[in-house]
Amino acid sequence: MTDHIETDVVIIGAGPVGLFAVFELGLLDIKCHLIDILPKVGGQCAELYPEKPIYDIPGFPMVTGQGLVDNLMAQIEPFNPTFHLNEMVESLESIGTPEAPLFRVKTSENGTTFVCKSVIIAAGGGSFQPKKPPIDNIEAYEGTSVFYAVRKMEMFRNKKVLIVGGGDSALDWTVNLQPIAKRLTLLHRRDAFRAAPHTVEKMRSLVASGDMDLHLGQVSALKGDNHVLEGAVIRKDDGSEHLVECDVMLPFFGLTMKLGPIADWGLNLHENLVPVDTEKFETNVPGIFAIGDINTYPGKLKLILSGFHEGALAAQKVHRYVYPEKKLLFQYTTSSTSLQKKLGVAA
């Protein structure tokens, strides 16, 4: 039996930007449901770097990816949003008019159907999966000795860790895991890195002091029985090979982004991104908005804080679709008793 859910707004993507949109909509008495392909809320912050420090969230000198998600979840608790996880939006059909939008949204997993007045796409770069290195039989070690993300740093305490890659993720985790690893080795195909200069400098300092190892080359094979990794064979540019002992390997080769069904929704895509205006972050289809990394416009910065701003402005236009006869009165949470009551903080 197909479920049928009526709500004001469907938010596609439950990452930080989608979560903050719940807050902005809630202040305007707009109800929403969120759909995400991942098994938990938080998007890439929770899935790929929950313990990685983030330094550019206003008001937080430092917050971890999971810490940010936890704070956002606490912030939207008064509005009781409903989450549909492990589900992907399969189809989005317009059944209204440009003046009075109405949409039918269906998911692929449970066949859930939503009818809503607006849709906010907050899907980051689309669905994503890690790029895997071309190593024979690597699948046998995945989940036990080979990991494509760090979800709990403690898993790697007192382990011999091999990190493969030369970008921000590889260098960040090299610096963060080195203090707790039994021995940490960084492997990159060349002695040049695509990471923040201060992180590269910190890594080189650890190598110079003998606190970690740096090798140049590529993994040609993995050694170990019964899904337990014992070492990786490293091939250098000159063709020579040697074995690096390791209990764990973390390959950071980036992500493969897939737009998925979004490409079939009638939006004017530009290089797999959704163009929007900068007044309300609406797409070419009235009632469909795009916020966060999925959208594009002149001067776009792919920052979480930019997505927060975009969600706030989108909510203002959504209000017009949800309450067409109701004038929107702009209020501040610091001074509005009615907003404070919604948040449960009014005296």
Side-chain angles (χ1 to χ4, degrees):
M1 180 177 176
T2 301
D3 293 324
H4 180 88
I5 297 171
E6 292 189 7
T7 186
D8 295 329
V9 178
V10 165
I11 298 176
I12 301 171
V17 172
L19 295 179
F20 188 68
V22 173
F23 179 80
E24 290 295 324
L25 293 168
L27 292 177
L28 303 178
D29 294 317
I30 298 172
K31 303 296 183 186
C32 59
H33 286 242
L34 297 91
I35 304 170
D36 202 296
I37 194 171
L38 295 174
K40 58 184 176 182
V41 301
Q44 294 185 42
C45 276
E47 183 70 7
L48 296 181
Y49 46 91
E51 295 194 27
K52 183 177 177 180
I54 304 173
Y55 299 101
D56 60 358
I57 302 299
F60 291 93
M62 191 284 286
V63 64
T64 63
Q66 189 62 53
L68 176 61
V69 172
D70 291 343
N71 282 329
L72 286 164
M73 288 294 287
Q75 190 175 32
I76 66 176
E77 190 174 346
F79 304 119
N80 298 310
T82 304
F83 294 91
H84 305 266
L85 304 176
N86 273 323
E87 296 192 46
M88 184 168 79
V89 175
E90 184 178 63
S91 64
L92 193 165
E93 178 187 3
S94 177
I95 54 176
T97 66
E99 296 74 26
L102 197 65
F103 301 95
R104 183 181 292 119
V105 179
K106 291 184 179 179
T107 66
S108 56
E109 295 302 315
N110 296 328
T112 311
T113 300
F114 303 82
V115 173
C116 58
K117 297 176 180 177
S118 288
V119 173
I120 296 179
I121 304 171
S127 60
F128 56 90
Q129 58 190 41
K131 294 178 182 176
K132 298 183 180 183
I135 303 170
D136 288 343
N137 202 35
I138 190 171
E139 295 82 6
Y141 300 97
E142 290 175 349
T144 55
S145 302
V146 173
F147 303 91
Y148 299 100
V150 177
R151 294 185 174 86
K152 288 189 84 72
M153 289 176 63
E154 280 301 311
M155 287 176 55
F156 307 102
R157 183 174 292 279
N158 296 324
K159 301 274 188 177
K160 289 177 282 188
V161 178
L162 172 64
I163 293 179
V164 187
D168 280 314
S169 293
L171 272 292
D172 285 347
W173 285 120
T174 293
V175 170
N176 286 321
L177 291 176
Q178 184 277 330
I180 67 171
K182 182 176 182 180
R183 188 68 184 178
L184 190 138
T185 301
L186 175 64
L187 172 69
H188 189 41
R189 65 184 186 280
R190 58 195 179 93
D191 194 18
F193 299 90
R194 309 174 313 281
H198 70 276
T199 313
V200 176
E201 185 180 331
K202 173 66 173 174
M203 177 273 294
R204 293 197 185 280
S205 173
L206 290 168
V207 172
S209 63
D211 292 313
M212 63 165 281
D213 299 309
L214 170 65
H215 291 297
L216 303 181
Q218 301 182 64
V219 177
S220 61
L222 299 178
K223 300 293 184 181
D225 298 324
N226 301 319
H227 311 293
V228 178
L229 188 63
E230 296 175 3
V233 178
I234 309 302
R235 179 183 292 126
K236 296 184 178 182
D237 284 346
D238 62 8
S240 64
E241 292 186 338
H242 69 280
L243 183 71
V244 172
E245 291 186 3
C246 57
D247 307 312
V248 173
M249 184 172 81
L250 298 168
F252 291 112
F253 285 20
L255 299 172
T256 298
M257 296 292 183
K258 295 186 177 180
L259 263 190
I262 295 176
D264 303 320
W265 294 348
L267 305 175
N268 293 331
L269 297 181
H270 175 70
E271 295 181 351
N272 281 343
L273 297 172
V274 182
V276 292
D277 63 57
T278 52
E279 178 189 358
K280 50 195 181 298
F281 298 94
E282 198 166 19
T283 69
N284 62 295
V285 179
I288 299 182
F289 301 79
I291 60 176
D293 286 358
I294 195 71
N295 76 14
T296 183
Y297 54 85
K300 168 72 179 184
L301 290 177
K302 288 194 173 186
L303 295 172
I304 294 173
L305 63 90
S306 300
F308 291 163
H309 157 78
E310 295 160 10
L313 289 187
Q316 302 289 303
K317 181 61 183 287
V318 170
H319 183 273
R320 192 179 306 173
Y321 292 136
V322 175
Y323 300 111
E325 307 301 323
K326 194 173 177 182
K327 184 177 180 180
L328 177 58
L329 176 65
F330 182 74
Q331 302 176 82
Y332 295 101
T333 56
T334 51
S335 56
S336 168
T337 303
S338 65
L339 292 184
Q340 291 171 6
K341 284 182 179 177
K342 294 174 188 176
L343 296 172
V345 296

